[in-house]
Amino acid sequence: MRLAVTVAHLDEIGPLTKQGADVFVVGALGLSHRLKHGFDMDAITTVIHAAQKVNTSVWVSLNAIIHTVQLEHLDTTMAALAKTDVEAIVFADLAVFKAAEKYKLIHKLIYAPETYTTCTEDVQFWKNEQIAGVIMARESTLEDLVDATAIIDFPVHVVGHGHLNMFHSRRPLIEHYFEHTSDRTFADFAEKKTLTLQEEIRDERYPIVQDTFGTHVFRAKPLASFNVLPALARRVHTMIIDTLFVDQKEALSIVLDYKHALSGMNVDTIKAHYASTHDDGFYFKKTLLQKEVPDE
Amino acid sequence: MNKPELLAPAGDLEKLKIALLYGADAVFIGGKAFSLRARASNFGPEEIAAGCAFAHSLGKKVYVTVNIIPKSEDLDGLVDYLKSLERAKVDAVICASSAIIDAVRTHTTLEIHLSTQQSITNAPAVNFWAERGVKRVVLARELNLDELAALRQDTTADLEVFIHGGMCVSYSGKCTLSNNLTDRDANRGGCAHSCRWHYDLYDGDEKLNSTMPFSMSSKDLQTVRHISRLIDIGVSSLKIEGRMKSIHYIATVVRTYRRLIDELCDDIVIDIPQYLLEIKKAENRLTSHGFMEGMTTVDEQLYNLRSEQPTQTFIGMILDYDPETMTAILEQRNYFEVGDMVEIFGPRFDPVTFIVDKLSDDEGHGIAVAKHPKQRLKMTLPMPAEPFDMLRKVNKQ
């Protein structure tokens, strides 16, 4: 299993490679969500060259939900990507598929809709579309992952570490709230990643970020996959480490821990290190289909 | 101009009939499996068949939601279910999952509509699915009128747009608040509406909200003022949300949009305020135009969850009418008394207000109050009525 890491700067490539990263995920400017930085095409090309020099690969994330006004930029970006050696293009919106079709890049696409790739049959659907792979839904249990990878010979990836997104609204909800209460302005918080929500009967705090794409709310605890790493390693092609809420130093440490754990080194110590601050996400959590609740 | 379809929700067979009789061209329903809004899905196989027969007798249509995002174990029985829908002559299925779409295409000839759960926001994405056999796409609610117009230009697929009802605050199908906060899977029927709860907002350890909790909740959608433009754009279907809503809500909302669409298409001058007043009679939450006019503002949000007090209260439905005695048999749905000012309305006529004069139980004994739910009553009416006409109390203003 390879390790992919989201990056924000060119100068992260070298150090992260030394720690064991195999793939770097970079966000395309204006077409990616919830990544630390949006790279323009010149920067993407530079990153690809830098990665190649150290025998690593680059995935470009075009994971945004795309509105009509962005289609021209998407086309330009895809045309430019066709001239690079990018290993893969991560997408969520099917407009990206259509653009890739135009520039003969379907074979480089990795479908990452966050919630729609939930079963073996979905994986088969996308294999039939002849793309490069899928990233399984965030809410996949370990059992779901085993099922999805058992039958079909097709690359399946997971986001295995980091604060996972659980809500994305097009609405600028923090800004609306401050306007309604009139006691603060959003401008004071625009660049911050320190805002959290706490529901009135729960103890957890959920990071909330508002950007030009709307409002994003994240799970309370970041996910860590050390408890399931052997199972993932047998089945998953690439595991992605999301670094949105960690700095470069922490990212280096995380990558090294996974590299060590994958080779069987210091596994118990590493697990203990993350035990109180991270959780297993949905690996062992079955969600219910339905439950009776009163109408509002 | 092409008149769009008016598509209404129906949580059970009674609501299906009401929706169609009050002017919907089609209804969407959920079976007991494979459908979101699990509590709103009361159609077993017999009910689906009966609903289709009723709709088709009126020249109208039934679509069945098969719109969960399934795990592999959820797909047991899917093909048999889809074939049963085909036998019942369902007019289309509404799907959100590539796995389910594949099953429909492989095993049936059912028409496929793509659910809003896929959050389709642009023409290329519409075309992706159209090229794979999807006939119609229910578009994301995050689109404004200009975006809809632009999208319409670049696809030949049928487009369906929500015009009324509750809105997801998140892009539909992308939200797992419920999964994370309650272990209930929003994409498999278990959404707990966690977006409507109250939250405190912190910056680090500093609590930023004082008197007013942070809220993500949105007002319901209402687009009376925008139907004209939607018709001009060429949207194929105008969709009302609300399979869990009451028959009164469905009747009022459907009837209002029915008349509006018909009058617009007949070039009749429209009295928008009158339509707004009429539709308000069924509102139980504040409404706004959502994204129709562009990015939402604070005015599209809901911060106190206080229900709008409706101006009317649904009190009964006509079951039968005797023109000789001008007496209706009705089924009580809320408390009312002799002396109350009430309004009768139906699919074919404007509301008529009158004072409840005589009321009796179904054995003819005079009564002063109607207090038993679903009690059968007899009431003298000032005008003829038909089954499924409804009565509502006019609250004192």
Side-chain angles (χ1 to χ4, degrees):
Chain A
M1 183 176 78
R2 300 189 308 168
L3 293 175
V5 191
T6 61
V7 295
H9 298 287
L10 175 65
D11 59 11
E12 295 180 69
I13 303 291
L16 283 168
T17 303
K18 285 189 180 134
Q19 300 298 78
D22 303 295
V23 178
F24 298 101
V25 182
V26 300
L29 184 65
L31 294 168
S32 58
H33 286 164
R34 295 178 293 277
L35 287 164
K36 271 183 188 164
H37 181 69
F39 290 73
D40 63 26
M41 273 315 303
D42 286 341
I44 288 173
T45 306
T46 303
V47 168
I48 292 171
H49 288 152
Q52 284 176 330
K53 280 186 180 159
V54 289
N55 293 318
T56 56
S57 307
V58 172
W59 291 2
V60 174
S61 178
L62 274 65
N63 70 341
I65 296 172
I66 293 173
H67 288 257
T68 299
V69 68
Q70 295 164 283
L71 289 176
E72 193 176 330
H73 178 47
L74 171 62
D75 188 84
T76 308
T77 300
M78 196 61 73
L81 284 171
K83 297 175 183 164
T84 70
D85 286 327
V86 66
E87 179 179 281
I89 300 164
V90 178
F91 78 106
D93 194 296
L94 297 168
V96 176
F97 184 99
K98 296 298 288 174
E101 201 172 48
K102 178 179 173 184
Y103 292 101
K104 298 182 175 21
L105 287 172
I106 286 180
H107 64 288
K108 292 199 173 185
L109 292 179
I110 294 176
Y111 186 47
E114 295 193 325
T115 52
Y116 301 151
T117 41
T118 53
C119 61
T120 310
E121 290 77 0
D122 289 325
V123 179
Q124 184 67 56
F125 178 95
W126 287 104
K127 182 182 178 186
N128 294 345
E129 293 289 343
Q130 301 181 325
I131 65 173
V134 298
I135 297 177
M136 291 299 286
R138 303 181 294 249
E139 292 66 54
S140 297
T141 62
L142 188 59
E143 199 178 314
D144 296 333
L145 293 170
V146 169
D147 285 347
T149 54
I151 304 169
I152 306 167
D153 181 19
F154 182 66
V156 168
H157 315 288
V158 297
V159 177
H161 195 98
H163 268 291
L164 299 185
N165 177 51
M166 59 180 181
F167 170 97
H168 173 201
S169 175
R170 195 181 189 197
R171 302 171 191 243
L173 294 171
I174 302 176
E175 194 170 334
H176 286 341
Y177 174 73
F178 285 149
E179 187 178 339
H180 180 71
T181 54
S182 301
D183 54 9
R184 293 170 203 279
T185 60
F186 175 68
D188 296 334
F189 301 93
E191 299 300 320
K192 287 188 156 198
K193 290 197 184 68
T194 51
L195 297 181
T196 56
L197 296 179
Q198 182 170 340
E199 198 272 329
E200 60 184 342
I201 65 166
R202 288 168 170 79
D203 293 331
E204 297 176 320
R205 298 270 186 95
Y206 312 110
I208 179 170
V209 171
Q210 181 187 311
D211 59 20
T212 52
F213 297 108
T215 308
H216 314 265
V217 180
F218 299 82
R219 297 183 70 245
K221 275 190 172 176
L223 167 70
S225 294
F226 295 104
N227 291 332
V228 298
L229 211 52
L232 289 188
R234 282 196 293 275
R235 295 173 177 86
V236 167
H237 191 275
T238 303
M239 190 193 85
I240 299 151
I241 296 165
D242 188 305
T243 61
L244 179 60
F245 287 95
V246 301
D247 61 27
Q248 189 171 353
K249 187 177 168 192
E250 288 168 294
L252 288 167
S253 178
I254 291 166
V255 171
L256 186 62
D257 285 339
Y258 276 104
K259 207 66 189 176
H260 282 165
L262 279 166
S263 63
M265 285 173 61
N266 303 330
V267 174
D268 291 337
T269 305
I270 291 169
K271 282 185 182 178
H273 175 70
Y274 291 90
S276 63
T277 53
H278 293 61
D279 68 15
D280 293 325
F282 285 87
Y283 286 132
F284 304 110
K285 187 190 288 196
K286 279 207 177 256
T287 48
L288 304 172
L289 287 181
Q290 53 191 273
K291 181 177 176 184
E292 293 291 322
V293 284
D295 277 332
E296 286 178 38
Chain B
M1 65 175 67
N2 289 325
K3 188 181 287 192
E5 169 189 274
L6 179 60
L7 176 59
D12 58 35
L13 201 50
E14 180 185 58
K15 291 174 186 175
L16 179 150
K17 291 179 180 176
I18 293 288
L20 295 175
L21 289 170
Y22 274 78
D25 300 301
V27 290
F28 64 99
I29 67 176
K32 292 187 189 294
F34 306 109
S35 175
L36 291 183
R37 303 303 293 275
R39 290 186 64 235
S41 298
N42 290 318
F43 285 85
E46 296 81 16
E47 285 91 358
I48 292 175
C52 288
F54 181 84
H56 296 159
S57 74
L58 300 175
K60 302 190 177 189
K61 295 183 177 180
V62 175
Y63 310 139
V64 176
T65 60
V66 193
N67 58 351
I68 61 168
I69 308 288
K71 306 229 174 178
S72 289
E73 70 257 24
D74 300 322
L75 295 171
D76 288 344
L78 173 67
V79 175
D80 287 343
Y81 179 67
L82 293 173
K83 288 183 175 176
S84 76
L85 296 181
E86 198 170 33
R87 285 192 297 274
K89 296 187 173 33
V90 161
D91 296 283
V93 287
I94 305 172
C95 306
S97 157
S98 56
I100 293 180
I101 289 171
D102 228 9
V104 175
R105 290 189 306 194
T106 304
H107 299 285
T108 78
T109 56
L110 285 164
E111 181 172 300
I112 303 172
H113 296 179
L114 188 74
S115 167
T116 194
Q117 294 296 108
Q118 275 272 332
S119 274
I120 300 294
T121 52
N122 57 71
V126 171
N127 291 336
F128 173 93
W129 285 113
E131 290 158 11
R132 285 151 183 80
V134 168
K135 177 79 165 40
R136 178 189 293 186
V137 171
V138 186
L139 294 169
R141 281 170 275 214
E142 284 77 8
L143 299 177
N144 62 50
L145 289 166
D146 291 339
E147 288 178 304
L148 290 169
L151 203 158
R152 175 73 277 174
Q153 297 301 311
D154 290 332
T155 181
T156 56
D158 288 351
L159 301 177
E160 185 174 298
V161 171
F162 277 94
I163 58 169
H164 200 93
M167 298 180 74
C168 281
V169 185
S170 173
Y171 279 100
S172 292
K174 305 281 190 178
C175 181
T176 55
L177 272 181
S178 178
N179 302 49
N180 282 280
L181 272 63
T182 69
D183 291 352
R184 284 171 43 198
D185 195 327
N187 274 337
R188 292 189 294 157
C191 182
H193 304 285
S194 308
C195 58
R196 298 201 185 271
W197 297 351
H198 288 161
Y199 296 83
D200 289 323
L201 178 64
Y202 287 85
D203 180 11
D205 289 326
E206 181 192 354
K207 187 171 158 184
L208 300 182
N209 55 299
S210 48
T211 52
M212 176 74 63
F214 182 87
S215 168
M216 296 183 261
S217 187
S218 73
K219 293 177 182 172
D220 280 5
L221 179 66
Q222 182 263 89
T223 62
V224 165
R225 295 184 192 279
H226 307 88
I227 298 297
S228 176
R229 180 94 193 271
L230 287 168
I231 294 174
D232 289 343
I233 286 169
V235 171
S236 309
S237 178
L238 302 175
K239 184 170 194 169
I240 298 165
E241 181 275 339
R243 280 188 286 148
M244 293 173 70
K245 293 292 201 296
S246 68
I247 57 171
H248 174 242
Y249 177 96
I250 290 169
T252 304
V253 173
V254 169
R255 182 180 169 282
T256 304
Y257 282 107
R258 172 79 276 149
R259 292 199 57 185
L260 179 57
I261 292 166
D262 288 345
E263 292 194 349
L264 283 166
C265 289
D266 290 340
D267 270 333
I268 295 172
V269 174
I270 303 297
D271 181 3
I272 290 290
Q274 191 55 41
Y275 280 96
L276 293 172
L277 267 176
E278 189 60 28
I279 214 160
K280 211 170 172 60
K281 294 173 184 176
E283 285 176 1
N284 58 4
R285 190 182 283 140
L286 294 173
T287 60
S288 79
H289 54 253
F291 283 87
M292 282 286 159
E293 296 180 10
M295 181 54 68
T296 58
T297 70
V298 62
D299 294 335
E300 279 67 66
Q301 299 305 117
L302 197 61
Y303 288 108
N304 55 20
L305 287 184
R306 178 178 52 84
S307 289
E308 180 79 32
Q309 186 69 30
T311 58
Q312 323 288 52
T313 303
F314 176 44
I315 57 168
M317 187 166 73
I318 305 297
L319 301 177
D320 204 355
Y321 177 78
D322 181 349
E324 285 191 15
T325 60
M326 294 185 69
T327 302
I329 297 174
L330 64 115
E331 185 175 86
Q332 191 264 32
R333 296 296 181 106
N334 268 300
Y335 177 96
F336 68 99
E337 303 176 352
V338 169
D340 279 342
M341 183 178 292
V342 302
E343 181 176 88
I344 183 171
F345 70 100
R348 309 159 318 284
F349 57 92
D350 287 335
V352 174
T353 303
F354 64 98
I355 303 284
V356 177
D357 181 24
K358 272 189 195 167
L359 195 61
S360 58
D361 64 21
D362 59 0
E363 290 176 356
H365 303 125
I367 57 175
V369 301
K371 59 185 177 182
H372 300 292
K374 299 243 175 168
Q375 182 184 14
R376 287 191 167 221
L377 304 165
K378 289 182 181 174
M379 180 194 286
T380 310
L381 297 180
M383 55 175 284
E386 290 185 8
F388 298 107
D389 290 346
M390 294 188 191
L391 291 157
R392 54 189 166 215
K393 195 158 54 172
V394 179
N395 289 342
K396 293 189 178 67
Q397 295 297 312

